[in-house]
Each structure stands twice: as C-alpha cells, then as structure tokens.
Amino acid sequence: MAPELSKRLGRSVVVENATGGSGMIALQKLVNGKVDGSTLYYGGFDTVAVPMLNKSVKIDWKEATLPVGRTAITSMAIVVPQASPYKTLADLVAAAKENPETITYGSPGIGSAQHFVGEMVGHRAGVKLVHAPYRGGTQVSNDLLAGVLDSAILTTSTALTFAKDGKIRVLAVTSAERAEALPDVPALTEIEGFRGLALPLWQGLFVKAGTDEASAKKISDAITASLEMDEVKKRLADAGFAAAPMSMGEFNGFIQTQADTYRQIITESAITIE
C-alpha cells in the first residue's frame, strides 16, 4: 500500500515493522503518536481480539483509534491430512461426537484467529475438539502432514499450497463465500449446522482517535484509490489476500460486527491469554 499512498497523499509513507505482542506493540506506537494523521497503523483481527483476551492490554480500538479504511480480506481453512478418513466437516464432527475429546486441531497459538475458528466450530457442533496450540503456523503444517494432528486451521493461502500438492484435504473455508481458488470447497456458512457462521481474516488502516475528519477522509480516499490499482491487487493476491476496500463508516461498522462475534466466541469458549 505504501508506494501508492505516498503518491496520493503527497508525502512519504515509511513502513515500520513493529513486531511483537500480537500487534499490540505497533498499536501502542499509534496511541503514543500525534493526533494529526501522520501515523498510520495497519491492523486486523488482533487489533480487536487481543485486548478482549488479555486484560493486561489496556487499549480499546473504539476509544484509541479511528478506522479509516479496510484494505483486504481472506479466509481460513479447516483441513485434514489427505490420508484422513474424514471427507467432510460432518465426518469430523461425527467422529468428535463418537469419541469425545479425542479429535485434535492445530493452530498457531492460543488466542489466534485460527483458535477462534476451532472453538467456534466445536461450540456450534456441540463437540469438544482438542486444541493443540503451536508457536506459529509452520509447525502446525508439519505435524498435520506427519499425521500427528487430526485436523488444523490454516490460512486459505497456506492450505491451497498443500491442497494443490495433494497433501491435505480442505473441508471448509471460513469466509461468507467460497474461496475463488478452491471453488469445490464449501464455505462454512453453507454447511448444515453452521449456517450463518463466517469468520474472515481482514486487514485495514487506522489513525489515532481525535484525528480531524478532513485528514482522516483524505487518507480513506487514498486507500480506496490505491486498491483500484492492478499492481496493488496483485501484491495482496501474492500474499493470499483479496483487495476489499471499505470506507470509514463501512469499516467501522464491519469491525463492530466482528467484535461482537469475537466476544461471543470468547464467552462461549472461555478463551484467555495472559
């Protein structure tokens, strides 16, 4: 996004990768910055979910930030090894009902979006899937392929790589619609027992709360215009995301809806991180 935003805003947009703390270190830099639109924060699921889960994080996106535009969206995938006897999500759920607390699913860690999906699916199906948290997604994939895990929640872009090689079977994707790259795989919301359930992965840009409306709108318009560029769409696609612009008001409403979903999953599954 940075090169195109630079052109449209008439100022240099310098990317600083402030890693750590599930995105909270970067978010804190925004909170500590000036209220003039000079600092942007690129966030997503973690921006909203982590403060809900970790009581030591005192940043509330509604009070600390002003969402100026959604940029991209993707889905996650519920997968099993290719040799698995489970051909559909219904098969996996049936096995979990028949053998309570024995069917495992891997995720990149407690409180990750993938963890949320696993707990959401288990709660809706009325089964207890055994969560196997890892430190990152690579080990999840390795253990899934080795048959250590019964199932896993992967980003759809990661799942696609292994599916093309015939190493895994994708049972469902978590977006509201089927993934373009996996047209034969049902969206979770299509499957009986999971109607209405969708949990996409999203990204967007925020400025500090209190930034004047004119400055915020200028940035929002620049984001929308940038996402119309084929080169930007390609960069996002290469990273497994689809360009999905939303204006300030739409983006704020979207986050509110997502926050309600996260809160419900946390309440139902008692997920916590410290």
Side-chain angles (χ1 to χ4, degrees), residues 10-250:
R11 58 199 298 187
S12 296
V13 177
V14 180
V15 178
E16 179 185 352
N17 292 308
T19 59
S22 298
M24 295 301 100
I25 291 176
L27 181 55
Q28 189 64 56
K29 284 183 174 288
L30 175 70
V31 173
N32 293 342
K34 296 179 180 179
V35 189
D36 60 0
S38 63
T39 300
L40 301 174
Y41 166 73
Y42 200 81
F45 167 85
D46 292 340
T47 308
V48 181
V50 170
M52 291 181 179
L53 291 168
N54 191 335
K55 301 307 179 186
S56 67
V57 177
K58 305 299 183 183
I59 305 174
D60 184 332
W61 72 271
K62 288 183 292 185
E63 297 178 359
T65 78
L66 175 61
V68 288
R70 193 177 73 177
T71 57
I73 199 164
T74 189
S75 61
M76 291 167 279
I78 303 167
V79 305
V80 295
Q82 187 62 40
S84 170
Y86 313 127
K87 307 298 184 184
T88 66
L89 183 57
D91 292 342
L92 186 71
V93 167
K97 286 182 177 178
E98 188 173 337
N99 303 284
E101 299 191 43
T102 61
I103 303 299
T104 57
Y105 76 93
S107 87
I110 295 172
S112 64
Q114 290 87 336
H115 183 195
F116 270 59
V117 169
E119 295 302 310
M120 179 178 71
V121 167
H123 187 271
R124 173 61 72 92
V127 299
K128 179 62 177 176
L129 300 172
V130 180
H131 180 217
Y134 289 77
R135 289 183 177 273
T138 301
Q139 192 59 46
V140 176
S141 300
N142 290 343
D143 277 6
L144 179 73
L145 298 179
V148 174
L149 292 168
D150 295 305
S151 63
I153 316 296
L154 306 177
T155 61
T156 298
S157 58
T158 299
L160 182 62
T161 301
F162 295 117
K164 284 181 175 178
D165 292 340
K167 294 179 178 179
I168 65 170
R169 183 180 302 119
V170 184
L171 305 183
V173 293
T174 67
S175 47
E177 299 176 349
R178 295 192 178 201
E180 186 175 338
L182 294 166
D184 297 328
V185 175
L188 188 60
T189 190
E190 296 177 41
I191 301 172
E192 188 65 36
F194 299 97
R195 308 267 185 210
L197 277 190
L199 196 70
L201 275 176
W202 54 273
Q203 297 178 340
L205 281 158
F206 301 73
V207 293
K208 187 173 180 177
T211 300
D212 71 272
E213 188 174 344
S215 297
K217 188 177 186 308
K218 184 177 180 180
I219 295 168
S220 183
D221 291 345
I223 293 167
T224 300
S226 297
L227 289 167
E228 293 174 355
M229 304 298 294
D230 289 340
E231 187 176 354
V232 174
K233 291 178 182 178
K234 183 180 184 304
R235 287 182 195 140
L236 288 168
D238 289 344
F241 281 81
M246 269 188 175
S247 64
M248 289 173 60
E250 292 174 321

